[in-house]
Amino acid sequence: MTMYRCPADGTRSSVESLAWCCPVCRGPWDLDFDASPVPLGSLPLRVNSLWRYEEALPLSAPLTTLGEGRTPLVPLTPSVSAKLDFLMPTLSFKDRGAVLLAELARRLGPERVIADSSGNAGTAVAAYCARAGLPCTVYVPEATSLKKTEQIQAHGARLERVAGNREATALAARAAADEPGTFYASHVYNPYFLHGTKTYVYELWEDLGGRLPEAVVVPVGNGTLLLGAAMAIAELRGHGLIGESPALIVVQAEAVSPLAAAFRAGADELLTGAASAPAPTVAEGIAIRNPPRTRQILRAVRESGGTFLTVTEDQLRAAQLDLAARGLFVEPTGVACWAAVDGWTARSTVVPLCGAGAKTGLAPAGGPLAPQSVQ
């Protein structure tokens, strides 16, 4: 039976309970769910969306789908390819997880759905709640990009602007999530989101003919794409569908890189003081000071034989312009991985381009897009 389980203390809860976190430690849930092997040979005959991997997903036969998934994989260099996850219905990879959250909420029938975001997760949840016919409220920092808040409101969601930074926004949403009848569509706390993001790796596996690249590079703030990728790799390896597992290479902005600092120090948790006073960065989507799944993130990278890389603001701006010159207009957060690996030739590598440039425009030459939104 599929159940929520706290990875810290083992507390369990029904997925029908609307409990958004562990009641003992207030930490995020994992999901007790056993994926079945996905038959590679039958996939060409299936629906052309992430739902083709139904054996690996904790939900099936959705009504909320917008055709998400199956994004192109295109070469950038002889050894580095890019997966164009900005070509999703709401223009970011967050659709992979948001569709599972909205579908779960539709089945549970709550009085309201709430989410918090610096932009992309909020727009994704708003869109899929609209598809599911669910009332939705999205909490955002007061400095969130106008283009993103317009997108949230266009989908019919109520917008709650919170004075202060990303952390203040999350606290406001979590307080509201404790109200009876509320489904908290959290891309950080709800593990259904991670089971959606794992389809990123299932698509790589299919597109590469039943194998994976030597290195999977991902940007990390709260770690939702990384942890989904690690989950998919473990499932594919456990089912005997791949041989060697790829290394997970994690990229953070140098200005806000608490996970990279902990990894390099050999720590299992953030270093003392790492969550305070980060510098502003144009990579607003990964500027997270204190990710709730820190321990899981660090463990996943170490077990894969991977590492952390950091990129400067100048590298981020240069990478955005470089990709635009190649025909790919990507927001500054989404170019972080390309900024980190441009010039690699040693091994086959895939980087995600996670969000469309239309959401933010070009990174300004002199400073961050929205410094107040840094968590």
Side-chain angles (χ1 to χ4, degrees):
M1 183 177 181
T2 302
M3 296 279 289
Y4 289 134
R5 175 180 50 80
C6 176
D9 58 39
T11 300
R12 294 165 64 87
S13 177
S14 167
V15 297
E16 299 181 356
S17 69
L18 298 183
W20 63 267
C21 68
C22 172
V24 177
C25 70
R26 302 285 284 182
W29 292 119
D30 280 351
L31 197 66
D32 277 341
F33 166 74
D34 293 324
S36 298
V38 173
L40 183 63
S42 71
L43 293 179
L45 301 176
R46 296 188 177 187
V47 61
N48 193 38
S49 74
L50 62 81
W51 296 98
R52 68 205 275 117
Y53 312 110
E54 59 183 348
E55 292 88 352
L57 296 173
L59 297 173
S60 61
L63 298 181
T64 52
T65 180
L66 292 167
E68 55 287 332
R70 300 295 294 140
T71 54
L73 183 66
V74 300
L76 295 177
T77 72
S79 62
V80 179
S81 294
K83 189 154 177 59
L84 310 190
D85 256 27
F86 66 89
L87 297 179
M88 288 278 195
T90 76
L91 307 181
S92 90
F93 88 95
K94 296 288 176 58
D95 291 5
R96 292 187 183 276
V99 66
L100 267 80
L101 293 182
E103 178 63 19
L104 177 62
R106 184 193 67 79
R107 298 181 188 195
L108 297 180
E111 296 176 24
R112 68 194 69 82
V113 176
I114 68 167
D116 61 288
S117 171
S118 60
N120 287 339
T123 59
V125 171
Y128 284 96
C129 281
R131 184 70 166 175
L134 294 167
C136 178
T137 300
V138 180
Y139 290 74
V140 300
E142 57 187 349
T144 298
S145 158
L146 177 62
K147 295 175 183 179
K148 292 180 179 179
T149 57
E150 284 180 345
Q151 188 179 4
I152 291 169
Q153 292 176 301
H155 292 306
R158 191 175 115 208
L159 191 70
E160 288 283 350
R161 289 184 175 86
V162 178
N165 61 14
R166 182 66 179 85
E167 187 171 10
T169 303
L171 291 174
R174 291 168 197 167
D178 287 327
E179 293 295 321
T182 302
F183 180 89
Y184 183 24
S186 172
H187 59 292
V188 181
Y189 279 79
N190 193 303
Y192 277 86
F193 194 93
L194 305 182
H195 282 269
T197 61
K198 76 181 181 184
T199 60
Y200 174 88
V201 164
Y202 274 93
E203 290 179 19
L204 291 181
W205 170 73
E206 181 183 357
D207 289 342
L208 296 174
R211 63 180 181 85
L212 290 175
E214 294 173 273
V216 173
V217 186
V218 289
V220 166
N222 277 308
T224 56
L225 182 56
L226 167 74
L227 292 173
M231 187 187 304
I233 291 166
E235 290 173 357
L236 290 166
R237 185 74 184 271
H239 294 144
L241 296 174
I242 58 172
E244 292 297 315
S245 298
L248 292 169
I249 310 298
V250 176
V251 181
Q252 293 203 289
E254 185 176 279
V256 188
S257 52
L259 290 163
F263 180 87
R264 291 165 183 166
D268 294 326
E269 298 286 355
L270 298 184
L271 304 180
T272 302
S276 61
T281 177
V282 297
E284 57 184 349
I286 55 173
I288 306 300
R289 299 189 307 183
N290 190 18
R293 294 186 184 268
T294 288
R295 183 175 288 270
Q296 291 175 294
I297 292 167
L298 294 171
R299 182 173 65 246
V301 178
R302 290 189 175 112
E303 289 179 351
S304 78
T307 192
F308 276 78
L309 303 174
T310 57
V311 290
T312 66
E313 299 303 291
D314 286 344
Q315 285 179 293
L316 288 165
R317 295 186 184 93
Q320 187 184 33
L321 293 173
D322 179 72
L323 285 172
R326 298 167 185 261
L328 301 167
F329 189 34
V330 184
E331 67 175 336
T333 298
V335 307
C337 292
W338 175 238
V341 307
D342 185 11
W344 278 26
T345 59
R347 52 185 172 178
S348 62
T349 302
V350 173
V351 301
L353 304 183
C354 296
K359 286 174 169 280
T360 60
L362 285 172
L369 294 168
Q372 300 97 318
S373 71
V374 174
Q375 179 174 340

